[in-house]
Amino acid sequence: MNTTDRDERHKARMARKKAVIDASIARADQEKGLLLVLTGNGKGKSSSAFGMVARALGHGMKVGVCQFIKSRTDTGEEAFFGRKPDCEWHVLGEGFTWDTQDRSRDIATAERGWAVAERMLSDPAFQLVVLDELTYLLSYGYLDSDRVLDALAHRPEMQHVVVTGRGASEALMELADTVTEMTDVKHAYRAGIKAQAGIDL
């Protein structure tokens, strides 16, 4: 096949592909607040959520971030986004459960954190709310699942919410508009490399 024939076949193939994609885009004519769940064992769930925070702020949207479980306040994302006037950032945990080793205390911490999240989920001024590592509070039974799902289902119509964390429940994934599962293929930590500033924190 000569170059001219190859180019013509490529052009025809791309024209067919464009027609399919254009038709698909035309069918997607609804506008609503989305619930996105980022789960799985792979790295990148919170990082993806914070990428959406950057996008939302770039569009002039008001953003709320609730970080459950985590207690450190020296992360790059908080240092950067916490200074933005349209981003309300809360670190609501006391560390991982193997650090606290106190279930009653963890439940009380979760309840205090969820009160902050509920306020955001009832306020239409927040156009994007990130509930980082919320899945653990549900899988550990620290929060009532029905209460959480009800708040997510009855939030303001145009409010987007991103939930991150491993082991998302079937009920949460069923409620979501978009679910992404991160797959763990390889991780530097298992080779003895510690968490790196700018990459992991």
Side-chain angles (χ1 to χ4, degrees):
M1 183 185 299
N2 60 40
T3 300
T4 301
D5 289 342
R6 187 184 305 116
D7 289 347
E8 286 301 319
R9 289 186 62 175
H10 173 78
K11 183 176 180 180
R13 190 165 59 249
M14 291 302 105
R16 291 193 299 271
K17 186 171 186 176
K18 183 179 185 326
V20 170
I21 292 172
D22 287 348
S24 179
I25 291 171
R27 285 193 300 272
D29 58 357
Q30 301 176 52
E31 195 167 340
K32 59 168 282 193
L34 299 177
L35 173 59
L36 301 94
V37 174
L38 308 176
T39 191
N41 293 331
K43 173 179 166 47
K45 298 177 288 293
S46 297
S47 301
S48 177
F50 300 145
M52 284 181 265
V53 169
R55 283 179 170 171
L57 291 172
H59 285 287
M61 299 165 71
K62 183 175 175 63
V63 177
V65 177
C66 294
Q67 285 196 294
F68 301 101
I69 304 293
K70 295 171 183 171
S71 61
R72 64 187 308 160
T73 57
D74 61 345
T75 61
E77 58 264 25
E78 185 183 6
F80 182 76
F81 291 120
R83 294 194 298 260
K84 303 297 182 186
D86 288 332
C87 185
E88 185 177 322
W89 192 287
H90 295 273
V91 178
L92 300 167
E94 292 189 342
F96 295 101
T97 54
W98 55 83
D99 290 325
T100 60
Q101 301 175 18
D102 186 333
R103 180 175 167 79
S104 296
R105 178 175 162 181
D106 289 341
I107 290 172
T109 300
E111 287 286 349
R112 286 194 301 272
W114 182 244
V116 176
E118 278 187 316
R119 172 178 60 80
M120 291 181 175
L121 293 172
S122 65
D123 185 351
F126 286 97
Q127 295 164 281
L128 172 67
V129 177
V130 173
L131 305 175
D132 189 35
E133 300 195 329
L134 175 66
T135 60
Y136 301 107
L137 305 189
L138 300 177
S139 59
Y140 296 159
Y142 293 173
L143 294 176
D144 179 72
S145 178
D146 289 340
R147 175 184 169 194
V148 171
L149 294 173
D150 185 68
L152 291 172
H154 294 97
R155 70 191 191 278
E157 183 180 4
M158 292 307 298
Q159 186 183 80
H160 304 298
V161 176
V162 183
V163 175
T164 74
R166 299 182 184 200
S169 69
E170 288 296 326
L172 177 60
M173 291 193 289
E174 180 64 29
L175 182 63
D177 298 287
T178 298
V179 178
T180 298
E181 184 169 0
M182 309 289 190
T183 302
D184 182 11
V185 177
K186 187 177 184 180
H187 201 296
Y189 175 75
R190 290 196 294 276
I193 301 171
K194 68 180 183 179
Q196 303 289 302
I199 300 298
D200 302 295
L201 55 103

